[in-house]
């Protein structure tokens, strides 16, 4: 099993050819677990490699050749569970890893909810989601793309005074999951991204901002010049920010930071938070959490989607579903364990929510600001000031003060606070500006009645 | 056995690598254009246990091994890593890393020798410092202590982590350094409920030592009681105030202020590149004269301490701010060389698969003269914040946040009502000039800090005495 891997970034190994090898590793893990007496077992193995190259001030700064492997196994002795992981795929490491997991399982407690997923729910047939588009990328070519991106940023505005560089990252690999119900599944994948971070300066004011794009298919990445220009425009727009007086005000969370609000929702309806009563959204199934025009769903089978997956981390078939329909909570985010604890069925969310989206409204960002009239447009949030148990929300922010629907001036060093329950209910509109990078699809959010603290 | 002997045995002898192999790989990594070349070998084992619902619910054992190879030419870095510690893979990774430089004849490798560094923690494997029954019994006692502390306790989650990290660094400046790094940690999280209102509290601690540490001085059970105490305080909390006001920070973990407000901004990479709000300000007044802030990796057994950093340099006691004057930056080898100074022993990396960069170790403020009670008594209307979650900083604008998880109003010089958690925001270079009182009660945190930078996590420590900031923005909801 300890096969040599050719690490040649100029012509990446076809990840599909690794699948049989990874499948064998999973089979070996499951066989070893059985040999050591486990009544059930599941294992995941992955291997990926790539290149990450940064250009700063026109020169190559770092070239990183990445090459990662991971192997994880979970064994069950009845309803006792043990887990172990390693980066080593050799037969000896497989034995040691299974032994470590079995040793752990000798000490964990019986828990009737521990075990493999229901065999009837496993993804016996699953679609090819078109997730694998490797890029034969020479370091010279990567440097040229990153340089074009950073150059464009630096040429956008004379106030761009410095740079943290532009980074091109290209990874591809494969993974296989299998369990002792006889399920084995896996697929190759790729992911490419280009990002740029620059600094604008004017007088004493120095501001940094960034932009990026990410895709399964490098041909669909935004043009390097576009990414650079947007990064520069964002940094320049923040210059000479003022503070605000403390006040109650409506707030627009711009589309690129709105995904955090959606993730707060899915975090609060995670089964593991619910059965521990560590969420502010206990027992809310069927309840009105948002205004009745709000539709939120997950679409795990989007072709080439950044978070697409045909099955979850337990082999359970993923499926399209509504999370919020007409403002009402339709379902939780469950894996087999938390579903069992809640007396429900898994929703195929072991490993998270895949391609989360909220339906867009009719106004673009400018229209949303018009609808707000006067208020705060938040374009950056800082810190982790969310209490999941109570929903209390208080985070650092910067952005723009808006007067009569027009951006008046940049603001910084303020906080935005409220309670997420009230924020969800107080959602006034979602913008149509949902062309943001990343796996979450949302426009900007207009929320009424938040507290802004400043000078 | 000495740490270096253990490291050589684990990372060279066991995988079958001879000294001549190490020299061959280093030769492959070096060319005449390469200024710095190093190889970082690492073998680590990590074991974690989770107690939840009163039962030992989960356990995980992780085994990692590999080597990262780096070649630096001027400001350019080439990097590759392998999780196979065999000669062909190491040579291949060396070839990939070296491609950063124009080819040339091979560089010369000096005689390798270990740096003189006093060990700051025992070269032990903490995973074996208690047997499994003892580990789980400890967790059960912590659970029982929390549940016995108050009938309103609904949920208790206890996690226990022990890590054993063995590293060996070889570099073209002649460094051959080994380190054996134990790290343990216990955390307790509780949820309490009263009349339908639920609140949480958490506590914990750890060190670079064996698990016995948790049994000493009633530590583990103390964490359980502390988590319950915090949660019960929060049951009484009213909405936090919104606006700018005097803020008194308690001693110990609130030192996360220093980590965010000044620490990151003083890391050498940001200052070499001129991207930090503190760039070019050495010798200037950046804090009130009451403030002396150090980064100290040499404290025995502390979570943030390192006998040697990840470039083989012994860690140091580095004065960052002395009586308000900016004295220096935190340096790794690369940034020190480019800025014409010496490394301060702050070159750290998450693992062999990550590049080192300047990072903090234990960052704290030295004590002042004020009695903590006198500090609180000096505030007519303000906030007293004693426990925090995480923080974050934008080193370019200098703006930073940190989120209080236990705080109280100060009214007429007295600590009164608890308030809900709120984020505090300020500008690093400005906030430090507004420190008007510094207590005589320096405390370090209990060993829970993890710092993230550019996607890499490393364990750190913070500390401070009670201190008063005349003006800081508090992000509550009450007008």
């Amino acid at each position: 099993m300890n096969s040599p891997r050719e690490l040649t970034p100029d012509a990446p190994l076809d990840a599909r050819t690794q699948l049989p090898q990874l499948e064998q590793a999973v089979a070996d893990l499951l066989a070893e677990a059985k040999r050591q007496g486990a009544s059930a077992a599941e294992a995941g193995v992955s291997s990926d490699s790539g290149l990450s190259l940064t250009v700063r001030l026109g020169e190559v700064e770092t070239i990183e050749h990445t090459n990662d492997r991971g192997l994880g196994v979970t064994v069950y002795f009845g309803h006792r569970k043990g887990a172990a992981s390693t980066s080593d795929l050799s037969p000896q490491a497989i034995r040691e890893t299974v032994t470590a997991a079995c040793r752990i399982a000798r000490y964990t407690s019986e828990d009737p909810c521990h075990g493999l997923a229901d065999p009837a729910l496993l993804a016996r047939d699953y679609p090819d989601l078109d997730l694998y588009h490797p890029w034969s990328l020479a370091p010279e070519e990567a440097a040229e793309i990153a340089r074009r991106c950073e150059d464009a940023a630096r040429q956008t505005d004379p106030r761009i005074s410095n740079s943290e560089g532009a980074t091109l990252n290209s990874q591809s690999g494969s993974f296989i999951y299998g369990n002792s119900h006889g399920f084995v599944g896996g697929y190759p994948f790729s992911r490419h991204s280009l990002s740029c971070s620059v600094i604008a300066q004017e007088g004493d004011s120095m501001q940094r901002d960034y932009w990026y794009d990410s895709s399964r298919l490098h041909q669909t990445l935004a043009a390097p010049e576009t990414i650079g220009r947007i990064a520069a425009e964002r940094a320049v727009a923040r210059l000479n920010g003022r503070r605000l007086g403390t006040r109650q005000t409506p707030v627009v969370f711009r589309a690129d930071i709105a995904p955090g609000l959606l993730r707060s929702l899915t975090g609060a309806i995670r089964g593991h938070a619910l059965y521990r009563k560590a969420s502010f959204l206990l027992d809310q199934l069927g309840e009105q959490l948002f205004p009745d025009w709000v539709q939120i769903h997950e679409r795990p089978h989007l072709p080439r989607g950044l978070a697409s997956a045909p099955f979850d981390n337990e082999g359970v078939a993923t499926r399209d579903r509504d999370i919020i329909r007409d403002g009402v909570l339709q379902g939780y985010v469950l894996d087999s364990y938390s579903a069992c604890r809640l007396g429900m069925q898994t929703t195929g969310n072991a490993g998270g929510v895949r391609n989360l989206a909220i339906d867009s409204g009719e106004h673009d960002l400018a229209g949303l600001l018009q609808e707000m009239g006067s208020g705060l447009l938040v374009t950056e949030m800082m810190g982790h000031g969310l209490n999941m148990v109570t929903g209390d929300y208080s985070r650092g922010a910067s952005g723009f003060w808006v007067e009569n629907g027009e951006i008046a001036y940049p603001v910084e060093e303020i906080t935005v606070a409220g309670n997420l329950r009230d924020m969800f209910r107080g959602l006034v509109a979602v913008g149509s500006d949902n062309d943001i990078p990343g796996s979450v699809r949302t426009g900007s959010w207009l929320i009424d009645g938040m507290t802004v603290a400043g000078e | 056995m000495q740490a270096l002997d253990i490291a050589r045995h684990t990372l060279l002898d066991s995988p079958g690598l001879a000294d001549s192999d190490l020299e061959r790989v280093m030769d492959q990594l070096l060319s005449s254009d390469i200024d710095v070349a190093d190889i970082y070998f690492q073998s680590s084992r990590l074991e974690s246990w989770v107690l939840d619902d009163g039962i030992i619910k989960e356990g995980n054992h992780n085994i990692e091994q590999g080597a990262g190879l780096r070649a630096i030419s001027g400001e350019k870095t080439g990097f590759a890593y392998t999780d196979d510690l065999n000669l062909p893979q190491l040579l291949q990774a060396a070839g990939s890393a070296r491609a950063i430089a124009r080819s040339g004849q091979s560089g010369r490798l000096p005689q390798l020798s270990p740096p003189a560094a006093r060990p700051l923690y025992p070269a032990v494997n903490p995973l074996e410092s208690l047997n499994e029954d003892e580990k789980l019994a400890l967790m059960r006692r912590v659970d029982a202590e929390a549940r016995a502390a108050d009938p309103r306790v609904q949920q208790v989650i206890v996690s226990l982590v022990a890590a054993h990290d063995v590293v060996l660094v070889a570099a073209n400046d002649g460094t051959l350094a080994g380190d054996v790094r134990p790290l343990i940690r216990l955390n307790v999280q509780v949820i309490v409920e009263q009349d339908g209102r639920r609140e949480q509290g958490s506590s914990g601690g750890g060190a670079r030592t064996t698990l016995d540490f948790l049994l000493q001085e009633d530590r583990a059970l103390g964490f359980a009681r502390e988590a319950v105490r915090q949660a019960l305080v929060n049951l009484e909390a009213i909405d936090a105030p919104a606006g700018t006001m005097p803020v008194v920070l308690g001693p110990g973990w609130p030192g996360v202020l220093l980590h965010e407000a000044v620490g990151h901004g003083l890391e050498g990479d940001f200052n070499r590149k001129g991207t930090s709000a503190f760039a070019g300000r050495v010798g200037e007044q950046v804090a009130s004269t009451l403030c002396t802030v150090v980064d100290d990796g040499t404290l025995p057994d502390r979570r943030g301490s390192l006998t040697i950093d990840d470039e083989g340099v012994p860690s140091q006691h580095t004065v960052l701010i002395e009586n308000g004057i900016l004295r220096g930056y935190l340096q790794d080898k690369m940034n020190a060389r480019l800025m014409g100074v010496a490394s301060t022993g702050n070159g750290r990396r998450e693992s062999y698969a990550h590049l080192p960069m300047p990072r903090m170790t234990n960052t704290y403020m030295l004590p002042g003269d004020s009695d903590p009670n006198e500090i609180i008594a000096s505030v007519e209307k303000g906030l007293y914040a004693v426990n925090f979650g995480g923080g974050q900083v934008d080193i370019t604008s200098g703006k930073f946040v940190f989120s209080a998880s236990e705080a109280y109003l100060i009214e007429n010089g007295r600590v009164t009502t608890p308030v809900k958690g709120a984020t505090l925001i300020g500008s690093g270079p400005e906030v430090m000039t507004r420190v008007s009182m510094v207590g005589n009660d320096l405390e370090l945190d209990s060993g829970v800090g993890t710092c993230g930078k550019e996607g890499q996590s490393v364990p750190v420590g913070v500390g401070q005495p009670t201190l008063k900031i005349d003006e800081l923005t508090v992000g509550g909801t009450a007008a």
Side-chain angles (χ1 to χ4, degrees):
Chain A
M1 261 314 300
N2 197 7
S3 71
R5 285 156 300 117
E6 302 299 324
L7 181 70
T8 48
D10 297 5
L13 189 69
D14 187 335
R16 286 169 297 198
T17 64
Q18 297 172 306
L19 284 166
Q21 182 194 338
L22 300 183
E23 220 164 287
Q24 188 58 50
V26 167
D28 291 349
L29 278 163
L30 297 177
E32 180 64 22
K34 188 173 181 186
R35 198 187 66 77
Q36 295 196 25
S39 53
E42 56 189 325
V45 180
S46 68
S47 171
D48 63 86
S49 62
L51 178 69
S52 175
L53 184 145
T54 299
V55 165
R56 177 172 178 265
L57 301 177
E59 299 285 337
V60 172
E61 183 174 62
T62 58
I63 302 179
E64 290 188 53
H65 301 275
T66 67
N67 180 21
D68 296 294
R69 295 183 299 181
L71 173 161
V73 62
T74 303
V75 297
Y76 300 92
F77 288 75
H79 292 296
R80 284 181 295 113
K81 174 183 168 182
S85 55
T86 183
S87 57
D88 189 346
L89 304 196
S90 70
Q92 186 194 343
I94 284 178
R95 270 195 308 277
E96 277 184 39
T97 307
V98 171
T99 302
C102 291
R103 188 181 59 78
I104 297 269
R106 281 208 297 276
Y107 296 98
T108 51
S109 313
E110 283 282 333
D111 184 333
C113 285
H114 275 325
L116 300 178
D118 181 346
L121 301 175
L122 298 175
R124 299 289 178 180
D125 290 303
Y126 54 84
D128 176 355
L129 300 177
D130 197 20
L131 306 179
Y132 180 59
H133 296 276
W135 190 359
S136 290
L137 180 67
E140 296 73 24
E141 189 189 347
E144 181 54 28
I145 293 165
R147 195 173 283 122
R148 277 166 54 199
C149 180
E150 197 206 28
D151 281 352
R154 294 172 68 200
Q155 287 159 15
T156 293
D157 192 290
R159 289 169 290 181
I160 298 297
S161 61
N162 201 344
S163 170
E164 293 193 320
T167 300
L168 184 63
N169 192 325
S170 173
Q171 309 290 331
S172 58
S174 291
F175 105 101
I176 294 281
Y177 166 85
N179 65 31
S180 55
H181 283 325
F183 178 86
V184 182
Y187 46 87
F189 58 85
S190 59
R191 189 175 183 121
H192 318 288
S193 66
L194 178 61
S195 63
C196 182
S197 173
V198 290
I199 289 167
Q201 193 161 12
E202 188 171 47
D204 287 341
S205 179
M206 186 158 78
Q207 294 288 348
R208 172 185 58 165
D209 215 328
Y210 76 103
W211 194 240
Y212 78 104
D213 196 16
S214 183
S215 177
R216 299 282 188 184
L217 178 66
H218 76 88
Q219 289 90 342
T220 63
L221 282 175
E225 290 79 6
T226 305
I227 293 168
R229 176 178 53 75
I230 295 174
E233 288 170 355
R234 285 163 57 104
V236 167
R238 295 171 64 154
L239 283 168
N240 303 309
R242 304 183 206 170
R243 302 193 62 203
L244 276 181
T246 300
R247 65 189 69 186
Q248 298 284 320
T249 175
V251 173
V252 169
F253 292 87
R254 197 170 61 186
D256 53 311
I257 59 163
L261 296 167
L262 273 175
R263 289 200 185 93
S264 299
L265 168 69
T266 55
I269 57 171
R270 277 178 61 238
H272 287 261
L274 296 170
Y275 84 75
R276 288 169 165 156
K277 299 193 188 305
S279 166
F280 65 98
L281 291 180
L282 295 185
D283 305 320
Q284 295 295 304
L285 215 50
E287 299 293 322
Q288 189 90 32
L289 298 183
F290 287 85
D292 60 10
W293 49 268
V294 172
Q295 320 291 341
I296 297 172
H297 39 81
E298 72 165 322
R299 295 283 181 263
H301 293 182
L302 287 181
R304 295 181 187 170
L306 285 168
S308 292
F311 52 85
D312 76 356
N313 291 5
E314 299 179 306
V316 172
T318 53
R319 56 189 171 81
D320 288 0
R321 66 172 179 135
D322 293 345
I323 292 173
I324 299 287
R325 189 188 306 140
D326 301 333
V328 174
L329 181 62
Q330 303 297 311
Y332 294 141
V333 174
L334 306 176
D335 59 8
S336 295
Y337 180 81
S338 61
C340 169
R341 292 300 306 270
L342 294 166
M344 304 175 98
Q345 193 175 75
T346 177
T347 54
N349 286 111
V353 177
R354 296 176 172 82
N355 301 319
L356 186 61
I358 182 167
D359 283 1
S360 290
E362 57 199 51
H363 294 303
D364 60 7
L365 178 58
L368 219 53
L369 298 183
Q370 284 293 332
E371 188 170 347
M372 177 169 72
S374 292
L376 179 67
L377 168 61
V378 174
T379 59
E380 186 176 86
M381 306 236 65
M382 286 178 82
H384 318 281
L386 167 60
N387 183 334
M388 238 357 156
V389 176
T390 60
D392 289 326
Y393 184 94
S394 165
R395 299 187 66 195
S398 60
F400 300 89
W401 182 249
V402 174
E403 276 170 14
N404 302 318
E406 303 288 336
I407 286 176
Y409 49 84
V411 294
E412 60 180 357
E413 205 181 324
I414 54 175
T415 59
V416 173
N419 184 283
L420 275 176
R421 285 184 77 112
D422 301 334
M423 291 163 67
F424 292 158
R425 274 197 294 254
L427 182 59
V428 175
V430 173
S432 60
D433 52 336
N434 63 5
D435 54 343
I436 50 168
S439 68
V440 176
R441 196 167 168 83
T442 174
S444 300
W445 288 29
L446 169 57
I447 295 177
D448 215 354
M450 300 207 62
T451 304
V452 170
E455 57 188 4
Chain B
M1 247 197 309
Q2 298 291 305
L4 178 59
D5 298 327
I6 294 172
R8 289 184 66 109
H9 175 75
T10 307
L11 294 161
L12 297 179
D13 302 349
S14 289
L17 294 168
D19 281 3
S20 57
D21 294 332
L22 181 59
E23 283 163 27
R24 267 190 71 189
V25 176
M26 193 59 101
D27 274 344
Q28 169 79 354
L29 196 55
L30 278 169
S31 71
S32 54
D33 283 349
I34 299 291
D35 300 306
V36 175
D38 59 12
I39 311 171
Y40 181 84
F41 295 89
Q42 182 182 29
S43 170
S44 68
R45 294 213 169 212
L46 184 144
E47 186 184 271
S48 62
W49 298 94
V50 177
L51 179 152
D52 183 5
D53 290 334
I55 62 173
I56 305 297
K57 189 165 284 181
E58 293 189 20
N60 203 330
H61 190 98
N62 179 256
I63 308 167
E64 297 284 340
Q65 181 168 291
L69 296 90
R70 176 173 70 147
I72 302 175
S73 174
E75 295 186 42
K76 296 178 168 37
T77 301
F79 180 58
Y81 53 89
T82 170
D83 43 31
D84 284 327
L85 293 184
N86 62 46
L87 187 60
Q89 291 292 334
L90 288 166
L91 287 171
Q92 190 177 351
S96 297
R98 164 191 167 144
I100 192 75
R102 273 177 276 280
S103 58
Q105 69 274 35
S106 277
R108 293 180 63 85
L109 182 66
Q111 183 70 37
L112 296 178
S113 62
R118 185 172 54 90
L120 298 173
Y121 31 81
V124 294
N125 180 354
L127 278 66
E128 294 165 359
S129 58
L130 292 180
N131 68 36
E132 309 311 334
D133 289 325
E134 290 168 325
K135 291 174 195 171
L136 305 185
L138 169 64
M139 296 174 73
R140 290 194 174 101
R141 283 206 303 279
V142 169
D143 177 57
E145 184 80 3
R147 290 180 189 277
D150 195 282
R152 289 168 288 183
V153 172
Q154 298 290 309
Q155 286 285 327
V156 180
I157 301 171
V158 184
S159 70
L160 181 69
V161 181
H164 181 224
D165 201 12
V166 180
V167 305
L168 183 74
V169 189
N172 70 324
D173 60 3
T175 301
L176 181 69
D179 200 8
V180 177
R181 299 168 176 169
L183 190 65
I184 59 145
R185 180 170 165 173
L186 179 99
N187 264 64
V188 192
Q189 190 195 351
V190 302
I191 293 179
V192 296
E193 187 169 346
Q194 175 180 298
D195 303 332
R197 178 171 175 179
R198 275 171 296 112
E199 293 284 352
Q200 61 185 339
S202 64
S203 179
R208 288 205 180 278
T209 184
T210 55
L211 289 163
D212 315 333
F213 173 83
L214 297 167
L215 302 172
Q216 296 156 7
E217 298 172 23
D218 197 30
R219 276 194 187 93
L221 302 186
F223 296 142
R225 293 190 296 270
E226 171 61 14
V228 174
R229 188 195 62 77
Q230 279 181 33
L232 295 178
V233 166
N234 284 327
L235 276 180
E236 309 296 323
I238 61 171
D239 286 346
T244 297
M245 62 197 70
V247 173
V248 176
L249 299 174
W253 177 243
V256 68
L257 162 82
L258 307 170
H259 182 97
E260 305 297 354
V262 294
H264 277 297
L266 298 180
E267 289 166 341
D269 44 356
F270 300 133
N271 287 282
R272 169 175 66 83
K273 297 174 184 177
T275 58
S276 165
F278 287 102
R281 298 189 62 184
V282 170
E284 287 182 28
Q285 184 94 33
V286 297
S288 87
T289 56
L290 300 172
C291 298
T292 295
V293 180
V294 301
D295 183 84
D296 189 352
T298 71
L299 303 170
D301 296 340
R302 300 295 311 186
R303 180 174 166 87
S305 295
L306 290 172
T307 301
I308 53 161
D309 73 2
D310 295 327
E311 298 182 305
V313 179
S315 65
Q316 296 178 17
H317 173 103
T318 304
V319 177
L320 299 174
I321 294 172
E322 187 176 21
N323 301 325
I325 308 287
L326 180 59
R327 289 300 180 206
Y329 301 123
L330 297 170
Q331 299 289 4
D332 63 357
K333 281 183 181 175
M334 175 181 179
N335 288 286
R337 186 175 52 82
L338 293 170
M339 292 179 81
V341 296
S343 167
T344 54
N346 289 91
R348 302 186 64 185
R349 61 203 301 171
E350 181 176 306
S351 78
Y352 68 88
H354 298 84
L355 275 168
M357 57 184 150
R359 302 295 295 265
M360 285 172 263
T361 58
N362 304 296
T363 311
Y364 58 94
M365 182 184 286
L366 300 192
D369 297 330
S370 299
D371 179 326
N373 295 317
E374 173 199 338
I375 297 177
I376 289 164
S378 74
V379 177
E380 192 178 325
K381 192 164 182 292
L383 189 79
Y384 178 52
V386 293
N387 271 301
F388 282 85
Q392 190 182 332
V393 62
D394 175 336
I395 50 106
T396 301
S397 69
K399 304 295 180 275
F400 72 96
V401 295
F402 58 140
S403 297
S405 56
E406 181 188 354
Y408 304 81
L409 296 178
I410 304 177
E411 294 168 297
N412 301 316
R414 289 183 47 226
V415 173
T416 60
T417 316
V419 295
K420 288 183 176 185
T423 288
L424 312 187
I425 189 164
S427 164
E430 285 171 25
V431 159
M432 297 306 292
T433 64
R434 296 192 186 129
V435 173
S436 61
M437 295 178 90
V438 176
N440 55 15
D441 57 341
L442 169 64
E443 278 181 31
L444 300 179
D445 77 279
S446 60
V448 294
T450 297
C451 168
K453 175 179 172 184
E454 292 171 26
Q456 293 194 39
S457 295
V458 297
V460 296
V462 298
Q464 67 178 29
T466 297
L467 57 84
K468 175 181 167 187
I469 299 166
D470 281 342
E471 248 187 42
L472 193 60
T473 300
V474 178
T477 54

